[in-house]
């Protein structure tokens, strides 16, 4: 690994790996891509492997007794092994490929939740969750009659662990489901400590790691997570592929939630037995190219080292918080730099978040505006929408300067 003025790896070489970063936004305006919490750009190492799969060995997996199918199956299963190592799972059987975090969370609700939750049980979530960690539980609660509770968020944008312990001690919580990193506040939640406390009270914990796995070294065993979900497209991989990690004993006991090809051992007209793990939870033709691509994204991140990625992003986030604080009328949401991931949401007094994003877009700066699939959190913050800049391993402090220049331009445009 080389060092640079921008962080702990050679940022010029890293940027050269991502073809989309070289394009112009409008003619003559460079692209400043700061919408990484929504999805990240892809390096040529991933794009090339997707291309190679389709050109050279496109075939269905686990089925054909022919060369191409064997090559596709080997590459698909190799990707599973890469993911297993990356998150420190004990076995490849604990790594289920899904279409993304949303599907992983729904899988837990529909397979584990449907079999284990009923009247009198409590599922404990938080106000800062993405809709994909709220709605599946609301749907299931309506059917199964359990109670869905939400931890509140402190004015600093953090969870209150005292409140957490009080609820665990006084209510029949069966599952805690929490984001490792908020996609709006950027808050890094103390999930290892939350897991310890959940287990001490006989509850399981599901970690939504969509904004964590791409950005920091994470080990499911040291976290002691029972379930953990993430998406490939937020970590330099393709869309349409994600992961559910779950403890083997839980997966063994859970019924499947989707039926179809590959997830069966034997089907008769009167009944079916299930395939072994992980295939019991992978019905139908999976996202083969995408899983292989995710494996190469994992290789790419591992090559840089997650510690280096995290250090680079922390440097960017500290710099962004410092510079954003200079902009008059700007309200920042979430905790200090040392307690947050690479996400910065804000509002600018007198300018709607969509207008902020529009003016930034005119300056080549891509951010997201809206509720970021976290409406309950925005209700809690008392704003309908916010603008959000989110960083990844290829961003630079110059790009944050471009964001700030764009914000001053927005103020001028709206005469504020
Ligand atoms: C914290 C969090 N959870 C879940 C999701 C859903 O991810 P996906 O749309 O890839 O399923 C996101 C995506 O923004 C997220 O940020």
């Amino acid at each position: 690994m080389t060092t640079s003025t921008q962080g702990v790896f050679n940022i010029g070489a890293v940027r050269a790996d991502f073809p989309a970063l070289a394009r112009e936004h409008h003619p003559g305006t460079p692209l400043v891509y700061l919408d990484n919490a929504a999805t990240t750009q892809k390096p040529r190492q991933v794009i090339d492997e997707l291309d190679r799969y389709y050109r050279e060995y496109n075939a269905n997996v686990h089925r054909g007794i022919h060369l191409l199918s064997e090559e596709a199956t080997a590459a698909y299963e190799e990707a599973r092994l890469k993911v297993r190592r990356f998150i420190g799972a004990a076995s490849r059987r604990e790594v289920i490929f899904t279409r993304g975090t949303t599907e992983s969370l729904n899988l837990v609700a529909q397979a584990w939740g449907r079999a284990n939750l009923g009247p009198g049980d409590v599922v404990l979530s938080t106000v800062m969750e993405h809709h994909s960690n709220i709605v599946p539980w609301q749907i299931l609660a309506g059917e199964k009659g359990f109670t869905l509770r939400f931890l509140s968020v402190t004015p600093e944008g953090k969870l209150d662990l005292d409140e957490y312990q009080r609820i665990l001690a006084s209510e029949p919580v069966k599952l805690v489901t929490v984001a490792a990193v908020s996609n709006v506040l950027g808050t890094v939640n103390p999930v290892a400590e939350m897991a310890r406390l959940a287990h001490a009270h006989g509850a399981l914990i599901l970690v939504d790691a969509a904004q964590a796995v791409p950005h920091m070294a994470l080990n499911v065993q040291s976290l002691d997570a029972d379930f953990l979900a993430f998406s490939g497209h937020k970590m330099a991989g393709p869309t349409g592929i994600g992961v559910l990690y779950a403890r083997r004993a839980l997966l063994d006991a859970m019924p499947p939630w989707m039926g179809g090809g590959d997830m069966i051992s034997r089907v008769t007209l009167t009944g079916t037995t299930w395939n072994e793990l992980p295939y019991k939870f992978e019905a139908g033709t999976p996202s083969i190219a995408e899983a292989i691509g995710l494996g190469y994204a994992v290789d790419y991140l591992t090559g840089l080292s997650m510690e280096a990625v995290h250090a680079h992003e922390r440097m960017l986030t500290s710099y962004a918080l410092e510079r954003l604080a200079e902009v008059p009328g700007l309200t920042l949401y979430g905790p200090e730099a040392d307690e947050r991931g690479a996400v910065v949401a804000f509002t600018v007094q007198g300018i709607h978040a969509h207008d902020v994003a529009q003016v930034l877009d005119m300056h080549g700066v891509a951010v997201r505006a809206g509720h970021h699939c976290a409406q309950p959190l925005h209700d809690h913050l008392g704003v309908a929408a916010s603008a959000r800049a989110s960083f990844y391993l290829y961003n630079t402090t110059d790009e944050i300067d471009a964001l700030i220049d764009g914000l001053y331009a927005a103020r001028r445009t709206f005469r504020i």
Side-chain angles (χ1 to χ4, degrees):
M1 192 180 311
T2 50
T3 54
S4 86
T5 52
Q6 282 288 352
V8 283
F9 42 69
N10 184 335
I11 197 74
V14 166
R15 287 182 69 82
D17 286 335
F18 290 80
L21 298 179
R23 64 162 281 175
E24 291 185 330
H25 186 268
H26 310 301
T29 312
L31 169 68
V32 175
Y33 187 78
L34 301 181
D35 194 17
N36 296 287
T39 200
T40 60
Q41 299 302 335
K42 323 302 177 199
R44 62 184 164 73
Q45 289 84 344
V46 169
I47 299 167
D48 290 352
E49 287 300 329
L50 290 172
D51 187 69
R52 197 168 74 78
Y53 166 76
Y54 284 119
R55 285 179 192 280
E56 294 181 16
Y57 62 103
N58 169 57
N60 214 327
V61 290
H62 305 142
R63 288 167 205 191
I65 308 183
H66 59 79
L67 181 69
L68 265 59
S69 177
E70 281 171 9
E71 286 179 4
T73 302
Y76 180 75
E77 291 304 326
E78 178 63 25
R80 197 189 307 278
L81 292 177
K82 290 176 182 180
V83 170
R84 182 196 79 71
R85 283 193 294 272
F86 191 62
I87 61 170
S91 157
R92 70 175 187 90
R93 297 190 187 281
E94 296 179 324
V95 175
I96 314 287
F97 281 133
T98 63
R99 283 189 303 125
T101 307
T102 302
E103 187 174 302
S104 299
L105 297 171
N106 276 273
L107 194 167
V108 179
Q110 291 301 322
W112 179 85
R114 185 174 287 283
N116 289 283
L117 296 171
D121 294 328
V122 171
V123 169
L124 180 56
S125 190
T126 86
V127 168
M128 67 169 82
E129 299 308 306
H130 188 279
H131 294 164
S132 62
N133 201 19
I134 297 175
V135 183
W137 302 110
Q138 288 176 332
I139 293 171
L140 193 65
E143 246 179 79
K144 304 290 289 184
F146 60 86
T147 303
L148 185 53
R149 292 269 270 116
F150 296 96
L151 286 174
S152 59
V153 174
T154 67
E156 299 78 43
K158 300 200 280 189
L159 298 177
D160 178 348
L161 279 195
D162 290 336
E163 181 194 16
Y164 179 57
Q165 295 202 55
R166 263 198 313 279
I167 295 175
L168 284 176
S170 59
E171 298 186 30
V173 177
K174 255 198 161 164
L175 179 75
V176 173
T177 183
V178 60
V181 177
S182 159
N183 67 317
V184 178
L185 301 170
T187 315
V188 178
N189 287 319
V191 280
E193 174 67 356
M194 292 179 81
R196 192 185 65 74
L197 291 166
H199 293 151
H201 289 88
L204 299 180
I205 188 161
L206 162 57
V207 178
D208 170 355
Q211 301 292 349
V213 168
H215 303 283
M216 54 192 72
L218 181 152
N219 181 295
V220 290
Q221 294 190 70
S222 38
L223 267 187
D224 211 8
D226 297 296
F227 302 102
L228 185 134
F230 57 98
S231 300
H233 70 97
K234 294 182 194 290
M235 52 189 287
T239 51
I241 186 74
V243 171
L244 174 69
Y245 158 82
R247 277 186 209 289
R248 175 121 191 223
L250 290 166
L251 290 172
D252 276 333
M254 279 157 59
W257 78 304
M258 278 204 275
D262 232 24
M263 52 75 71
I264 55 89
S265 168
R266 171 100 178 95
V267 182
T268 68
L269 294 181
T270 50
T272 296
T273 52
W274 315 134
N275 200 348
E276 59 185 7
L277 293 174
Y279 312 112
K280 182 168 100 175
F281 295 102
E282 292 182 5
T285 299
S287 301
I288 303 166
E290 292 78 1
I292 295 169
L294 173 59
Y296 281 89
V298 163
D299 288 346
Y300 188 82
L301 295 174
T302 309
L304 292 177
S305 112
M306 289 312 290
E307 286 74 16
V309 168
H310 190 52
H312 179 71
E313 292 183 6
R314 280 190 83 143
M315 179 277 291
L316 290 174
T317 307
S318 301
Y319 183 71
L321 290 180
E322 220 177 275
R323 294 259 16 229
L324 285 164
E326 293 166 10
V327 180
L330 188 141
T331 304
L332 271 167
Y333 301 99
E336 298 299 315
D338 56 352
E339 290 179 283
R340 71 156 86 206
V343 176
V344 192
F346 55 88
T347 50
V348 183
Q349 198 178 13
I351 317 179
H352 192 280
H354 286 127
D355 293 329
V356 171
Q358 191 87 53
V359 177
L360 288 173
D361 185 57
M362 284 158 51
H363 288 77
V365 181
V367 300
R368 181 156 169 190
H371 52 62
H372 320 299
C373 298
Q375 275 184 330
L377 176 63
H378 281 79
D379 289 346
H380 172 84
L381 296 173
V383 291
S386 61
R388 179 185 72 184
S390 50
F391 315 117
Y392 206 33
L393 49 90
Y394 39 66
N395 288 124
T396 65
T397 50
D398 288 350
E399 292 183 306
I400 292 167
D401 291 340
L403 166 70
I404 304 298
D405 291 348
L407 290 172
Y408 279 105
R411 284 175 51 82
R412 283 194 301 277
T413 306
F414 288 88
R415 295 193 167 73
I416 289 169

